[in-house]
Amino acid sequence: MLDFVIFAVTVIVVLIIAVIYMYPSSKKISTIPGLDKTSAEDGNLMDIQRAGSLHEFLQNLHEQHGPIVSFWIGDEFVVSIASPALFKQHLSVFDRPGDLYRIVTPVFGVNSILFLNGAEGRARRQLFDKSLHHENLDYYAEHLHKVSMDLVSKWSSLVKEEHIGLQEYMAAFATKAVLQCIMGSYFTDDKEVLAFKRNFDQVWSELEHRARDPEIPSAETPRGHQFETALKELRAVMTRALEHRKKHKLGRKEELTVDHIMAAHHNDKDAMVGDCLTYICSGIPQTASMLTWCLYFLASHPKVQDKLHTELLHEFKVSGEFHPSTVLRLKYLRQVLEESLRCAVVMPWTARYQDFDTEIGGHKIPKFTAVVHALGVVMQDETLFPVPNKFDPDRFNVENSKNRDTLAFPPFGFAGKRHCPARDWVYLATSTIVASLINRFQVSLVEGQVVTPVYGMVTQPQDEVWVTVHKRK
Ligand code: HEM
């Protein structure tokens, strides 16, 4: 009898150990606080959908568990970090976990710079980065000035009190500016810009849909078919632009991103188109979003707008007509742009991984684990930015910034010299257009609007934002 009891107890204990070991949600693979899987198949995907977006999900998770948390995307264990001290521990990490970005693969292609890691990735970034370096900005300044003036004359021709949709106008500016600066003169033809934009808008809105709801429609469904058709057209426009560049590049002194892309991929047309689309899709919605939010904040904070206008008036008086590159010297304008990026959280996160076991904040991180940099959570952290939802450009004046860790404000990423390659260009483009508009117009918000952010791959207002403009004397 005793033998039987010992045998039975041993079997039960072995079974319990086996269940604990094999049942995934109870298999703790790390000491990092966070969530177990809520579904064996989807991990915490339903929780992310319920929160509204990955950014909002991470805000809740970090609020509950602190600056390092873990969760599951399907079968993949994911870590998220959200503090300047933890960011510091990832400063030199370059490689990006392609799986977290898989929704963009049909557009960017598998050879895109976005997915390229290791020595090859670093070398290609160095090559591509040359074109958007600070010293090349003078070339872009001229183009950006011209595109800005087109918008100024459009707004000048509107009738008094006409309602202006900020998202629409800022997307039009960003599309033209990015296409001309990345791809060159092919996109000085408005017809080609429109052909591009029609298809781009459809492709991008499908990608945003997939970011919210990862169920991918088959090509036979109307949504899937529309996406495939628009993508094919988009690729055709890009191919024409590349052929045009090849023919007309001879004798030109400027080296644009498209030139480096063509040189890197020799005769591989698909890879060229993929990298061009990587830059363009990583540039247009982000620039349009930043500008929409910036003008919305200026319209809803008249005192800030007046102070900015005073700075512009001063510059205007000193230099007669401000030169586009001098707008980068305007301190208050820069504060307004930085506070817009912070408040709006234009791109809420990025991610890295390492191919060896490592440690962050005293926790073991198994190799190949995706580590999310929760940029938006940090930029909205009330210990770093008190009353984080308040738009206050003075947070970025010299006095208020001097004791703040630079990693508390990483809107363009920070790790492995793989932060956004267009950071300097973005400040030049947005400074040029915001200065041109505010110098000539007083922008006011149409009353009665509730402006709600939607945190997708890029943060956009849920609905169009309506303003009116009055010409300044
Ligand atoms: C407000 C505007 C923008 C914001 C906030 C922004 C932000 C970012 C962020 C956070 C990343 C990820 C960095 C990382 O992983 O550490 C990124 C990557 C990237 N951005 Fe931007 N970006 C903006 C505009 C642009 C523009 C205008 C372009 C090009 C014309 C561009 C091209 C890219 C590319 C190609 C990458 C991927 C680089 C790589 O994988 O190595 N971005 N951007």
Side-chain angles (χ1 to χ4, degrees):
M1 180 64 183
L2 185 64
D3 282 358
F4 176 73
V5 172
I6 292 171
F7 174 73
V9 168
T10 312
V11 167
I12 290 168
V13 169
V14 168
L15 275 177
I16 290 172
I17 291 171
V19 167
I20 289 174
Y21 183 74
M22 287 165 73
Y23 186 60
S25 69
S26 58
K27 191 171 86 175
K28 286 279 176 212
I29 67 168
S30 152
T31 51
I32 299 171
L35 296 183
D36 287 334
K37 290 181 180 180
T38 36
S39 132
E41 212 174 293
D42 293 336
N44 301 115
L45 276 179
M46 290 304 284
D47 302 313
I48 296 172
Q49 263 178 299
R50 257 196 301 275
S53 65
L54 181 59
H55 170 64
E56 286 151 302
F57 169 79
L58 291 177
Q59 270 190 319
N60 298 339
L61 206 57
H62 281 292
E63 201 174 297
Q64 263 180 298
H65 297 288
I68 180 161
V69 297
S70 65
F71 59 101
W72 295 82
I73 293 187
D75 225 14
E76 208 184 327
F77 179 70
V78 181
V79 171
S80 170
I81 53 176
S83 78
L86 294 179
F87 283 174
K88 218 158 274 165
Q89 297 184 30
H90 244 217
L91 263 185
S92 60
V93 186
F94 182 86
D95 291 347
R96 178 173 284 139
D99 272 3
L100 284 195
Y101 296 84
R102 61 185 148 235
I103 49 173
V104 297
T105 316
V107 183
F108 294 10
V110 286
N111 293 317
S112 158
I113 178 78
L114 195 84
F115 302 118
L116 203 58
N117 288 330
E120 211 189 326
R122 286 176 194 270
R124 197 176 307 163
R125 262 304 295 264
Q126 263 181 14
L127 179 69
F128 289 3
D129 280 4
K130 282 190 201 160
S131 53
L132 292 165
H133 266 178
H134 202 74
E135 62 265 25
N136 289 340
L137 291 187
D138 266 356
Y139 167 76
Y140 299 117
E142 250 177 67
H143 288 268
L144 292 168
H145 185 55
K146 194 176 166 312
V147 182
S148 300
M149 285 305 121
D150 288 349
L151 182 54
V152 166
S153 60
K154 263 200 194 109
W155 278 19
S156 301
S157 67
L158 296 173
V159 292
K160 213 173 159 202
E161 300 299 334
E162 190 167 335
H163 289 191
I164 295 179
L166 278 183
Q167 292 203 66
E168 185 194 334
Y169 276 98
M170 294 308 117
F173 170 83
T175 306
K176 242 184 177 179
V178 169
L179 285 176
Q180 288 185 12
C181 293
I182 297 295
M183 299 297 296
S185 61
Y186 186 70
F187 289 104
T188 44
D189 180 348
D190 280 351
K191 262 202 333 278
E192 290 303 332
V193 177
L194 280 178
F196 172 89
K197 192 168 182 323
R198 224 183 5 257
N199 296 297
F200 177 78
D201 287 349
Q202 282 195 4
V203 167
W204 183 259
S205 100
E206 176 60 29
L207 292 185
E208 281 290 12
H209 195 134
R210 292 180 188 183
R212 286 191 305 277
D213 169 9
E215 192 85 22
I216 294 179
S218 85
E220 279 74 51
T221 61
R223 227 180 86 200
H225 178 70
Q226 213 175 26
F227 174 70
E228 295 297 336
T229 313
L231 183 56
K232 206 166 139 207
E233 286 295 315
L234 200 60
R235 291 182 153 275
V237 179
M238 279 295 119
T239 307
R240 289 202 296 276
L242 282 163
E243 274 158 13
H244 178 272
R245 185 73 189 165
K246 205 167 154 193
K247 272 195 209 132
H248 295 85
K249 163 76 176 106
L250 278 180
R252 281 175 187 266
K253 60 180 185 324
E254 84 265 1
E255 289 283 336
L256 301 185
T257 305
V258 62
D259 302 319
H260 297 302
I261 289 176
M262 290 201 292
H265 293 299
H266 308 289
N267 291 321
D268 186 343
K269 285 248 168 64
D270 272 356
M272 284 183 207
V273 169
D275 261 342
C276 289
L277 284 176
T278 303
Y279 270 76
I280 287 161
C281 296
S282 306
I284 293 174
Q286 294 74 352
T287 309
S289 153
M290 176 177 172
L291 285 169
T292 302
W293 286 110
C294 178
L295 285 161
Y296 161 68
F297 290 134
L298 288 172
S300 50
H301 295 77
K303 283 191 183 142
V304 174
Q305 190 177 157
D306 287 348
K307 191 168 166 184
L308 176 60
H309 182 238
T310 308
E311 183 183 54
L312 296 173
L313 267 186
H314 180 73
E315 172 65 23
F316 193 73
K317 265 196 202 122
V318 172
S319 57
E321 170 76 62
F322 66 76
H323 186 266
S325 59
T326 62
V327 290
L328 286 175
R329 285 205 314 257
L330 300 179
K331 293 204 175 82
Y332 194 64
L333 175 57
R334 179 63 169 241
Q335 286 172 223
V336 166
L337 295 174
E338 293 188 328
E339 179 63 346
S340 302
L341 279 168
R342 188 200 68 77
C343 259
V345 184
V346 172
M347 264 185 85
W349 58 273
T350 184
R352 293 289 188 274
Y353 83 117
Q354 285 166 292
D355 56 4
F356 48 88
D357 290 345
T358 171
E359 229 186 72
I360 305 181
H363 298 279
K364 206 175 136 197
I365 311 281
K367 63 181 169 186
F368 301 122
T369 301
V371 177
V372 171
H373 298 165
L375 310 174
V377 175
V378 169
M379 291 192 286
Q380 297 271 302
D381 181 338
E382 63 185 354
T383 63
L384 299 164
F385 298 98
V387 199
N389 289 330
K390 185 175 166 206
F391 176 75
D392 176 10
D394 284 337
R395 294 179 200 271
F396 286 94
N397 68 24
V398 178
E399 181 56 26
N400 291 336
S401 312
K402 73 176 182 225
N403 294 324
R404 192 187 306 127
D405 196 312
T406 49
L407 289 175
F409 178 63
F412 296 97
F414 61 88
K417 298 196 178 147
R418 198 180 196 165
H419 54 265
C420 176
R423 180 184 173 279
D424 295 334
W425 182 92
V426 169
Y427 281 122
L428 177 68
T430 54
S431 300
T432 306
I433 182 67
V434 173
S436 306
L437 293 174
I438 298 301
N439 196 28
R440 289 165 180 82
F441 305 102
Q442 184 169 11
V443 183
S444 311
L445 205 58
V446 172
E447 278 178 25
Q449 297 179 80
V450 179
V451 177
T452 313
V454 177
Y455 301 97
M457 291 190 292
V458 172
T459 307
Q460 300 281 6
Q462 188 168 34
D463 302 307
E464 183 55 284
V465 181
W466 297 102
V467 295
T468 52
V469 297
H470 300 269
K471 278 185 213 156
R472 295 184 191 273
K473 296 262 171 350

